Amino acid sequence: MYKDWESLKKDCSVCRKCGLCETRNNLVFGVGNEKAEVMFVGEGPGYNEDMQGEPFVGRGGQLLDKYLTHIGLDRHKNIYIANMVKCRPPENRDPSEEELNCCIDWLREQTRLIRPKIMVCLGRISAMRLISKDFRVTQQHGQFIEKGGILFMGTFHPAALLRNPNNKGLALEDFLALQEKIKKVCDHTYEV
Ligand code: URA
């Protein structure tokens, strides 16, 4: 169990627990406010993230930033963004069960230090792992579920929205529902 970010980041940065370390250019630890009340969790780095060492910096990330801005959130100010796996799976394939298992402790430690009130799962990979193993994004997106003192919500993965723009309206509704929830349960995300 880590007590400070420095040692957590240091140990994570040299992680060789699974084979993804062999092909990574950069480990993508996370970005944002380490005291955030709201945390977003994606799947794993893609090409751009692996090159830059920051989550969601490609086209999907630009779309995510649009939704965030729309509800007054900013990756550098009042939220934290991380992924289920910290290193890019080759060819952008889904991370394997083994890779997810190897990496989950890093996310656990991040969550322990941040102590978010709300966690938003971006896409099915994180929702199936963090909310319920049979989570269906198309049916359960936008619903808040309390688990261990944290409110979880799953929504569409930005890359899935780029592939299927028909769901962009539903995603917007999820972000608006998130905004309302933040206003109810968070103290400093929207400074008054
Ligand atoms: N997709 C993800 O799930 N995470 C990223 O950081 C980038 C793309």
Side-chain angles (χ1 to χ4, degrees):
M1 220 146 105
Y2 287 85
K3 292 202 176 67
D4 65 279
W5 282 97
E6 283 327 301
S7 46
L8 174 59
K9 278 182 201 165
K10 190 164 159 267
D11 288 356
C12 185
S13 71
V14 293
C15 178
R16 301 192 66 81
K17 286 198 238 178
C18 80
L20 295 182
C21 69
E22 304 289 347
T23 47
R24 74 178 172 224
N25 286 296
N26 285 292
L27 184 141
V28 181
F29 182 74
V31 67
N33 185 333
E34 292 165 357
K35 295 192 167 58
E37 296 170 300
V38 186
M39 188 168 169
F40 288 77
V41 185
E43 178 179 323
Y47 173 81
N48 294 290
E49 292 75 21
D50 174 62
M51 295 311 282
Q52 295 181 42
E54 179 171 331
F56 288 102
V57 290
R59 275 181 68 225
Q62 286 165 19
L63 180 61
L64 175 62
D65 281 335
K66 270 195 198 164
Y67 284 103
L68 293 174
T69 304
H70 192 79
I71 62 163
L73 300 179
D74 180 328
R75 65 167 69 207
H76 297 296
K77 291 202 175 118
N78 52 3
I79 57 166
Y80 193 88
I81 308 178
N83 280 310
M84 295 302 300
V85 295
K86 309 294 189 230
C87 301
R88 182 191 183 204
E91 317 299 329
N92 294 347
R93 62 163 170 74
D94 287 352
S96 70
E97 202 55 29
E98 191 197 336
E99 289 154 359
L100 287 164
N101 288 340
C102 282
C103 215
I104 191 82
D105 280 342
W106 297 126
L107 182 69
R108 234 176 242 140
E109 295 293 338
Q110 287 174 302
T111 309
R112 230 178 242 144
L113 288 178
I114 295 173
R115 298 199 293 123
K117 295 206 160 108
I118 298 175
M119 286 184 80
V120 179
C121 297
L122 296 168
R124 74 188 166 86
I125 298 282
S126 61
M128 285 170 72
R129 192 72 194 217
L130 303 180
I131 301 176
S132 68
K133 59 181 185 310
D134 52 2
F135 192 91
R136 301 287 301 271
V137 177
T138 46
Q139 287 164 23
Q140 291 164 272
H141 68 92
Q143 296 174 11
F144 287 88
I145 295 149
E146 204 257 14
K147 274 179 84 178
I150 298 176
L151 280 169
F152 286 84
M153 188 262 268
T155 188
F156 300 88
H157 192 284
L161 293 173
L162 291 174
R163 282 194 302 273
N164 187 358
N166 290 338
N167 287 330
K168 282 186 178 176
L170 293 174
L172 181 59
E173 285 175 22
D174 293 349
F175 275 79
L176 291 171
L178 172 63
Q179 184 178 38
E180 288 313 305
K181 191 61 87 180
I182 293 171
K183 285 182 188 164
K184 277 205 190 107
V185 306
C186 295
D187 304 319
H188 57 77
T189 298
Y190 297 130
E191 308 276 25
V192 279

